[in-house]
Amino acid sequence: MKLLIAILENVFLVSNARLNQMSDPRFGVSDRDYLGDILIHSAQDKSVGASGVTAVSLRSLNKSFGNVAAVVNLDLDIPQGEFFSMLGPSGSGKTTVLRIIAGFETASSGKVMLEGADVTELAPFDRDVNTVFQDYALFPHLSIQQNVEYGLKARKMGKAERAKLASEAIESVRLTHLADRLPHQLSGGQRQRIALARALVLRPRVLLLDEPLGALDKQLREEMQVELKRIQREAGITFIFVTHDQEEAMRMSDRIAVFNAGKIEQIGSPREVYENPSSAFVASFLGVSNLISGTHAEKLFGSTDLVNIRPERIRLIATSAKAPAGEIAVAATITDVAYTGANTLFVLETDEGLRIIATKLNEELQGQDLGLEVGNKVLASFRKEHVAKIPNQ
Amino acid sequence: MRVIEKAPARAISSYLYRNPKARLAGLLALPLTWLIGVYIISLFLLLITAFWFIDPFTSKVRPGFTLDNFVNLITVPAYFATSMRTLGIALAVTVLTILFAIPLGIFMAKIASPWLRNFLAVAITLPLWAGYLVKLLAMRLTFTEQGLFNWLMEPFGIRGPGFGIPVTILTLAYLWFPYMALPVFTAIRQLPNNLFDASADLGAKGWATVFRMVLPLITPAIIAGSVFTFSLSLGDYLAARFVGGTTQMIGSIIASNISLNPPVAAAFSMVPIAFVVMYLMVARRTGSLERI
């Protein structure tokens, strides 16, 4: 019965939120893109609805440390099997939320539910979730094998079975040859994989990952991103992933919650939060943004409302050319050019003093001579549907 | 002009700079004199004395070589029993201090507020500043026939054990507790908080976390602390004398033989040393000294 209520509640909440957004006139500009996303996600929601379970629900969650409010009145539903990221700057409350779900912190008020069951008062060892810690938290006195067996031993599993499961888990992260080593004899990436094996060997319903790739160098981090995504897909476990790296979050997640000052600013698919940020904070935290408001906006779009245009949506054309139909063009001077590998970044300034950032694929620029040099004038042109209105100004 | 004035000192410095061996000699001369001249030689003299004997006619110490003193340690039942009793008391004191130190250490290091932590750290070390006899007297007053303990426990029909081995153990544990509590606290303080989180996360409850994570990781600190509690207990004789009733420890026998029969006292002095060496060898054998 409890379960049924939880399902209904979830379906109701999701559809309600969606209806509100769809009927919101502020979304008018890019309805087409947005609707596409909704269709994709409705299909996903349906499959979730079929399995019927919300893995994690938070209700009116609050947490303060002394006078500092770390989490403010947070509601959140994460369906089973989702790769869910909590993204935000440090101190935005994302790690605190993770620690409350794990049970390391107790909420000041509000409820934590795992698969519909209230676990707010339960200790970490009574919750069916496991955590991969930021600095791995491997036990330094135990071998890799013993580290992975630790949780199985706590569950009073027999010696032979324990050894078998642990060996399998170590094999699944391809470190069998290091099973007898101590943690300090392993590299950061290897320790990371052991931390993952140690948590996954317990077959948790939900895996919590607290910036697990933060300490790795870039190349290793990207390998691990692929690896994590594969494991999540194969195991079918709900992943809740905390990170401050927007690229990482977008690359892996089904949905992203963008945190700011203890609240969720926006929640949605990577495409939704990137293309249609709900606030200036989200727009500037995810990638580079051109936030335009006030008189500049009025002159260009006929309204002083805040809008955002992504730099890669801006085309640079010769001043002599005419703006194509359906595009808005503005004359600007190039004030800076930076080569960044795959892209070149241009900083432009209009005569009215509006600063615009545009990026171009170097592939696209090859062989063209547009005179894209500092001091030259160009037209910055963009399609109307790529101007995203920011609903929360 | 100034340079010339400084010349002699400068010459010495330059000489030392060019001659590392001379530098080393200058550094170590004093401490080595102390260590070898006072410490090692006196211990060596003690060892030699243990092989001498008392002339039965003159009652004077005669140099020579006899193993009788050591044989007596084992064959005289009272001597042997005293050695074993002392060993038991020292081990009990060590275990007792460990039992107190671990929960206190966890509380201080991981739970207490900074203010309370500092307060407790001072409270633990404070007794070290008080005189030894003062503390013995305090314990004596607590456990004497009309003492605090009996007075407090009277309503419950409980009477204290009276002066004897239990109160001796309690008193020694009280005396040496700081030597165990401080290293244990420091070691627990250095355990990252997320190891505790990880242990709970993996399903280990409080006890399991203490036994499988905390205890192995702080073993070096416990051994460091126990070297003090164990060896200081082995050598003590005043506690037995003032709160031990009829309890005799190795120290009691050494004390009573020190002028009467120095060779026996010397032989007995070797016993605690042998125990401590054996203890350290066992600790090394378990590997707990190297693993971390």
Side-chain angles (χ1 to χ4, degrees):
Chain A
M1 194 58 203
K2 231 177 178 177
L3 193 70
L4 195 68
I5 292 171
I7 295 165
L8 287 175
E9 207 170 34
N10 184 38
V11 169
F12 178 74
L13 276 172
V14 168
S15 56
N16 222 11
R18 199 136 279 156
L19 280 174
N20 285 341
Q21 284 179 339
M22 279 172 73
S23 57
D24 192 328
R26 290 176 300 191
F27 280 82
V29 177
S30 53
D31 259 351
R32 236 177 31 203
D33 281 17
Y34 192 67
L35 275 175
D37 272 334
I38 288 173
L39 287 176
I40 294 164
H41 270 268
S42 310
Q44 277 181 1
D45 281 349
K46 249 176 226 151
S47 68
V48 167
S51 82
V53 187
T54 307
V56 178
S57 297
L58 305 177
R59 290 286 171 275
S60 323
L61 201 67
N62 280 286
K63 175 73 185 177
S64 12
F65 297 102
N67 292 327
V68 184
V71 180
V72 184
N73 216 17
L74 192 95
D75 286 290
L76 181 61
D77 286 283
I78 302 168
Q80 206 172 64
E82 190 171 63
F83 198 121
F84 185 83
S85 285
M86 303 203 279
L87 176 68
S90 52
S92 61
K94 57 192 193 307
T95 296
T96 307
V97 172
L98 192 87
R99 291 176 60 79
I100 290 172
I101 297 173
F104 304 144
E105 307 275 358
T106 48
S108 305
S109 69
K111 266 209 296 192
V112 181
M113 287 180 289
L114 296 176
E115 304 194 332
D118 190 341
V119 299
T120 317
E121 304 290 325
L122 293 187
F125 48 75
D126 286 328
R127 299 186 186 197
D128 198 6
V129 299
N130 288 113
T131 310
V132 177
F133 293 86
Q134 185 166 16
D135 45 8
Y136 322 132
L138 298 179
F139 303 114
H141 61 300
L142 297 179
S143 73
I144 297 311
Q145 178 84 19
Q146 289 169 323
N147 259 284
V148 178
E149 282 185 28
Y150 194 95
L152 300 171
K153 208 169 168 183
R155 281 161 178 71
K156 308 258 185 292
M157 184 182 278
K159 205 173 174 181
E161 203 185 349
R162 207 164 72 204
K164 184 171 159 283
L165 284 180
S167 298
E168 280 172 14
I170 295 170
E171 200 186 328
S172 75
V173 293
R174 299 190 299 276
L175 290 176
T176 306
H177 58 295
L178 299 177
D180 296 328
R181 301 272 180 93
L182 289 174
H184 72 84
Q185 295 168 311
L186 269 59
S187 72
Q190 290 168 337
R191 269 181 256 178
Q192 218 283 314
R193 273 142 72 188
I194 290 305
L196 199 62
R198 185 178 71 174
L200 285 174
V201 76
L202 301 172
R203 308 248 171 273
R205 298 303 185 83
V206 178
L207 187 71
L208 308 173
L209 301 106
D210 185 10
E211 308 219 14
L213 310 180
L216 306 180
D217 58 54
K218 195 170 187 298
Q219 197 190 343
L220 202 55
R221 196 158 68 221
E222 284 169 4
E223 274 171 37
M224 281 307 297
Q225 287 169 0
V226 176
E227 180 97 356
L228 276 180
K229 189 71 191 161
R230 178 184 66 81
I231 290 169
Q232 192 260 340
R233 229 182 357 247
E234 284 171 8
I237 297 173
T238 311
F239 272 36
I240 303 180
F241 189 92
V242 161
T243 181
H244 60 263
D245 182 338
Q246 44 105 4
E247 216 174 295
E248 187 168 280
M250 292 214 277
R251 195 174 290 193
M252 293 193 284
S253 317
D254 296 317
R255 280 197 307 157
I256 297 174
V258 184
F259 276 72
N260 183 26
K263 290 180 184 165
I264 295 179
E265 287 263 329
Q266 189 175 7
I267 193 163
S269 71
R271 181 184 288 268
E272 270 169 39
V273 289
Y274 184 77
E275 302 282 351
N276 294 92
S278 67
S279 66
F281 174 82
V282 176
S284 45
F285 194 76
L286 280 109
V288 185
S289 53
N290 288 300
L291 287 161
I292 304 169
S293 66
T295 51
H296 293 304
E298 187 160 28
K299 190 148 180 270
L300 285 170
F301 316 112
S303 155
T304 57
D305 291 349
L306 181 66
V307 298
N308 181 40
I309 311 162
R310 291 297 179 186
E312 67 276 8
R313 298 295 194 188
I314 295 172
R315 303 198 302 130
L316 301 178
I317 52 182
T319 40
S320 54
K322 247 184 72 180
E327 291 203 9
I328 298 170
V330 57
T333 312
I334 299 175
T335 60
D336 200 6
V337 179
Y339 175 83
T340 61
N343 296 304
T344 299
L345 186 137
F346 298 92
V347 182
L348 315 167
E349 202 169 320
T350 67
D351 295 340
E352 287 84 21
L354 173 64
R355 220 169 71 108
I356 298 173
I357 294 169
T359 52
K360 287 286 104 198
L361 276 173
N362 286 328
E363 172 70 18
E364 253 175 71
L365 291 173
Q366 223 163 38
Q368 298 184 33
D369 185 20
L370 294 169
L372 297 177
E373 279 153 29
V374 174
N376 287 356
K377 268 212 158 162
V378 289
L379 278 184
S381 172
F382 40 87
R383 297 172 72 88
K384 280 177 184 162
E385 63 260 36
H386 290 151
V387 180
K389 280 206 179 175
I390 307 287
N392 305 322
Q393 308 256 334
Chain B
M1 280 310 281
R2 232 177 48 201
V3 172
I4 294 165
E5 248 177 332
K6 271 191 174 179
R10 186 170 271 260
I12 293 173
S13 295
S14 306
Y15 172 78
L16 287 177
Y17 178 78
R18 285 193 306 273
N19 295 277
K21 277 185 188 159
R23 209 157 66 211
L24 206 62
L27 200 63
L28 292 181
L30 227 62
L32 276 184
T33 309
W34 165 257
L35 193 69
I36 296 172
V38 179
Y39 204 74
I40 304 231
I41 288 183
S42 64
L43 265 181
F44 189 67
L45 285 179
L46 192 68
L47 182 67
I48 290 181
T49 313
F51 295 103
W52 294 356
F53 53 90
I54 294 282
D55 189 312
F57 299 109
T58 60
S59 289
K60 280 192 174 151
V61 180
R62 294 253 318 259
F65 182 82
T66 171
L67 289 173
D68 284 358
N69 297 320
F70 288 101
V71 173
N72 282 348
L73 288 185
I74 296 164
T75 52
V76 177
Y79 284 176
F80 186 73
T82 302
S83 290
M84 288 303 116
R85 187 185 310 120
T86 307
L87 180 66
I89 289 173
L91 285 174
V93 169
T94 301
V95 170
L96 202 62
T97 52
I98 293 172
L99 286 181
F100 284 135
I102 290 179
L104 181 71
I106 292 177
F107 174 76
M108 281 173 67
K110 298 298 172 191
I111 300 166
S113 64
W115 181 87
L116 189 56
R117 179 185 306 139
N118 291 337
F119 174 79
L120 285 172
V122 171
I124 288 174
T125 41
L126 205 60
L128 287 179
W129 305 345
Y132 180 98
L133 277 174
V134 175
K135 282 178 278 186
L136 275 187
L137 185 61
M139 286 305 270
R140 204 181 150 80
L141 289 175
T142 308
F143 286 99
T144 190
E145 198 63 19
Q146 279 87 37
L148 179 76
F149 186 84
N150 282 346
W151 179 73
L152 275 178
M153 289 298 149
E154 201 175 7
F156 308 103
I158 297 170
R159 286 193 55 80
F163 296 140
I165 291 178
V167 175
T168 307
I169 292 172
L170 272 180
T171 304
L172 289 171
Y174 163 60
L175 285 172
W176 316 136
F177 182 63
Y179 297 103
M180 180 64 77
L182 287 179
V184 165
F185 158 66
T186 313
I188 296 175
R189 187 107 200 257
Q190 283 165 357
L191 297 179
N193 284 337
N194 67 9
L195 287 187
F196 288 85
D197 285 347
S199 183
D201 188 70
L202 294 167
K205 299 178 176 66
W207 280 111
T209 298
V210 169
F211 280 110
R212 296 184 46 210
M213 194 270 282
V214 178
L215 203 53
L217 283 173
I218 64 168
T219 300
I222 290 180
I223 288 176
S226 63
V227 168
F228 285 102
T229 58
F230 186 67
S231 59
L232 288 173
S233 300
L234 282 178
D236 194 83
Y237 79 107
L238 283 171
R241 184 161 161 194
F242 286 109
V243 297
T246 57
T247 310
Q248 290 246 320
M249 292 177 70
I250 292 175
S252 325
I253 293 182
I254 297 174
S256 57
N257 279 301
I258 220 158
S259 49
L260 215 61
N261 193 341
V264 166
F268 249 107
S269 304
M270 293 298 137
V271 177
I273 296 173
F275 280 151
V276 170
V277 169
M278 266 155 39
Y279 179 80
L280 284 176
M281 274 160 64
V282 170
R284 230 187 105 174
R285 181 67 57 89
T286 60
S288 39
L289 293 181
E290 289 110 38
R291 192 116 198 225
I292 294 140

